[in-house]
Amino acid sequence: MKRLPYIDEHAISVPADRAQTWAALLQVMCRNPKDPNTVPIGFALDEATPRERFALKGRHPFSIYRLVFELDDDGPRRTRLRAGTWAAFPGLHGKLYRALVIGSGGHRIVVRRMLKRVAAVAS
């Protein structure tokens, strides 16, 4: 997949170590937390480096996208969980789709909810 334009990054401090946060991330993002390949419909697993990085990619007629979660130590028994998004929105329909998804603030709301859900499951 070619390099996609950067969209945004959101982060949260999770009151759990990286192992617990990783397990919570898989529980939230995968249909089967024991199998990182069971990602949500519309995504494919791009990378799963335990306790470090979980990257998803996808495409449909209006966009090509990548969502990357990164875990870093954030103090004793705390993890900084970041979610970065890269995406391209080709053509007129892509521009309209970007306005709906990114411009409306919907993407920001969904990503922040995902991060909060992971933090709640990890605690």
Side-chain angles (χ1 to χ4, degrees):
M1 186 178 285
K2 71 177 191 166
R3 189 175 190 112
L4 297 171
Y6 173 79
I7 301 297
D8 62 10
E9 180 178 280
H10 302 277
I12 192 169
S13 183
V14 179
D17 65 26
R18 284 168 51 173
Q20 291 170 288
T21 303
W22 176 258
L25 177 62
L26 294 182
Q27 186 173 340
V28 169
M29 295 303 299
C30 299
R31 291 182 302 279
N32 176 356
K34 294 178 181 181
D35 181 1
N37 286 298
T38 61
V39 296
I41 293 172
F43 287 98
L45 181 65
D46 193 33
E47 179 184 345
T49 305
R51 297 178 297 281
E52 290 181 21
R53 187 178 179 92
F54 185 67
L56 307 173
K57 63 182 178 179
R59 72 178 320 139
H60 58 72
F62 309 128
S63 70
I64 303 163
Y65 44 90
R66 191 160 191 252
L67 176 61
V68 179
F69 295 92
E70 294 182 305
L71 294 80
D72 299 297
D73 291 329
D74 195 29
R77 292 181 298 271
R78 292 194 75 80
T79 302
R80 184 84 169 154
L81 177 61
R82 296 179 286 133
T85 303
W86 289 262
F89 301 89
L92 176 61
H93 290 105
K95 287 181 183 181
L96 294 171
Y97 186 73
R98 180 188 172 106
L100 281 172
V101 173
I102 305 298
S104 70
H107 166 75
R108 180 181 67 245
I109 291 167
V110 169
V111 172
R112 287 181 180 172
R113 280 186 185 160
M114 276 190 285
L115 293 173
K116 287 179 183 177
R117 191 163 164 226
V118 171
V121 169
S123 334

